[in-house]
Amino acid sequence: MSIQQISVFLENRAGQLADITAVLAQHNIDMRAIHIAETSDYGVLRIIVDRPQKAASALLEHGFVLSMTPVLAVVVPDEPGALAKVLAILAREQIDVEYMYSVFGRVNERACMIFRVGDIERLSAVLTAAGIAPVPGEALGIHAE
């Protein structure tokens, strides 16, 4: 039940994000989540979009360097302590979270987080067993291509 995340490698210079979002806009691609990490030399833009294959093709055509990675979307109640409960389950099962970030808006009136871990299938099974169902791409408006 994983979804595809696009990671775009960026030079640390003004205009890179504007260029990427312009390419997505030109191809009528809608972003569902965004995360930016940076170092002194480069940055990594991670995005979830409604049509990942189309977005990747468009960005590659415009010369961007990218990779696609499976991630898991998880609904978390929008209340104090809810994320702590999810993370406690992962800690108990010794699942290391490489990174996580939130989705734009809400899914079924709940917050939604994107998780990147080494074993997506194990994460999905552990959360499902704990009564926390992963979110299918369709619930985020991601189209199968």
Side-chain angles (χ1 to χ4, degrees):
M1 184 163 312
S2 65
I3 57 177
Q4 290 296 311
Q5 167 191 272
I6 299 172
S7 297
V8 185
F9 301 94
L10 307 171
E11 300 171 32
N12 275 352
R13 68 170 176 82
Q16 283 276 280
L17 291 174
D19 293 344
I20 289 169
T21 56
V23 168
L24 296 176
Q26 289 167 4
H27 289 85
N28 200 31
I29 296 166
D30 196 12
M31 287 191 292
R32 301 295 188 221
I34 186 170
H35 175 266
I36 302 170
E38 56 90 22
T39 68
S40 59
D41 298 324
Y42 65 92
V44 179
L45 169 70
R46 295 181 175 110
I47 54 176
I48 304 295
V49 297
D50 62 345
R51 290 178 304 213
Q53 294 299 326
K54 182 176 180 182
S57 295
L59 291 168
L60 286 168
E61 287 173 13
H62 284 84
F64 291 100
V65 177
L66 61 86
S67 65
M68 299 201 47
T69 308
V71 294
L72 197 69
V74 177
V75 168
V76 178
D78 192 5
E79 61 191 36
L83 182 58
K85 289 176 186 175
V86 172
L87 293 174
I89 294 167
L90 274 59
R92 183 176 61 243
E93 295 294 327
Q94 297 190 359
I95 296 175
D96 184 34
V97 177
E98 294 177 23
Y99 55 82
M100 61 182 243
Y101 53 97
S102 63
V103 171
F104 296 152
R106 296 162 59 97
V107 176
N108 297 327
E109 298 304 313
R110 293 182 167 176
C112 184
M113 301 295 295
I114 301 294
F115 284 86
R116 171 65 177 146
V117 300
D119 186 344
I120 293 290
E121 296 305 318
R122 181 165 177 248
L123 173 62
S124 180
V126 164
L127 291 177
T128 299
I132 303 168
V135 178
E138 299 82 34
L140 296 176
I142 298 172
H143 308 287
E145 297 174 297

